[in-house]
Amino acid sequence: MYKEEIIKFLSNYGLNSNVSGLISSALIIISISVIVFAINFITRNIILSFFKRIAKSTSSTFDDLLIKNKVPRLLSFIPSLFFLYLIIPTYTDNLIIIIEALTILLFIVTVKSILSTVKDYFKLSPSLKHIPIDSYIQVIMIFLWFIGIILILSVLTGREIGTFLASLGALSAIILSLIHISEPTRQEA
């Protein structure tokens, strides 16, 4: 977007193209980082003040537990990731894969915090204390992490999920057949 203009500006002052290219890349990275930190700071303050205002106005402890489990803080990363998702493709397409993986990871961690809030709420409520919510949450989190890791690996490898799962199935079949082939030699020894 502005990289060529910065290189041209620096080249007019006598810097060669390699040095001006490095300086322009550094300036772009620094400016994007400052914008991302500013967006994160502003949205964190807005979301946290919104949640605190709601927590003060209600008698429920659920919203207090949301703040304790850092759900508003995790939600404040969404605008920063959205900004990066919009701005990074104008400079390079390679980093978009990392941003997509970070988005999946942020989703998993946010759901984990929300489930921790539900668990804490169940433990505080006298009528819900007897329900074994820990086991249910653990099963949900195992399932969520399994799907999340599959999605992250699919994004990082650039394969569709179906193709990626088929590749994993074929790889496991090859490994199992290698184990099966090597078993008779173990029994003979």
Side-chain angles (χ1 to χ4, degrees):
M1 184 183 243
Y2 295 109
K3 188 172 184 176
E4 292 81 23
E5 288 87 4
I6 295 171
I7 290 172
K8 186 176 177 185
F9 177 77
L10 293 174
S11 296
N12 288 341
Y13 283 102
L15 291 173
N16 67 14
S17 62
N18 291 335
V19 173
S20 60
L22 288 174
I23 292 174
S24 68
S25 295
L27 286 173
I28 289 170
I29 290 171
I30 290 170
S31 63
I32 289 175
S33 299
V34 167
I35 292 170
V36 165
F37 284 124
I39 289 172
N40 192 21
F41 179 77
I42 292 168
T43 56
R44 184 184 326 133
N45 288 335
I46 291 171
I47 291 173
L48 192 59
S49 67
F50 175 73
F51 271 82
K52 285 182 179 179
R53 195 172 325 129
I54 289 175
K56 285 181 184 177
S57 65
T58 62
S59 61
S60 172
T61 58
F62 188 76
D63 41 19
D64 298 326
L65 293 172
L66 283 172
I67 295 171
K68 179 187 156 233
N69 287 314
K70 298 182 176 152
V71 173
R73 184 169 185 253
L74 292 170
L75 291 176
S76 70
F77 287 114
I78 294 173
S80 301
L81 281 174
F82 184 70
F83 171 76
L84 285 174
Y85 193 77
L86 289 177
I87 199 75
I88 291 297
T90 59
Y91 296 106
T92 179
D93 289 332
N94 297 333
L95 291 178
I96 201 74
I97 295 168
I98 296 171
I99 294 170
E100 288 174 353
L102 286 174
T103 304
I104 295 168
L105 189 64
L106 177 67
F107 176 76
I108 292 170
V109 172
T110 304
V111 170
K112 180 185 177 290
S113 292
I114 292 170
L115 289 175
S116 295
T117 303
V118 170
K119 178 182 72 170
D120 293 344
Y121 184 73
F122 269 61
K123 288 184 178 184
L124 288 177
S125 176
S127 61
L128 300 173
K129 259 185 191 176
H130 67 281
I131 299 174
I133 194 72
D134 292 340
S135 303
Y136 297 121
I137 289 177
Q138 284 177 350
V139 169
I140 291 170
M141 284 310 301
I142 288 170
F143 181 70
L144 190 63
W145 274 110
F146 176 74
I147 290 176
I149 289 171
I150 295 289
L151 285 173
I152 288 171
L153 290 175
S154 174
V155 165
L156 291 177
T157 59
R159 306 263 186 238
E160 290 187 25
I161 295 172
T163 307
F164 184 75
L165 289 175
S167 301
L168 284 178
L171 180 67
S172 64
I174 291 170
I175 290 172
L176 285 175
S177 67
L178 289 175
I179 290 172
H180 182 69
I181 290 171
S182 66
E183 257 183 32
T185 58
R186 278 196 227 155
Q187 291 175 355
E188 294 172 3

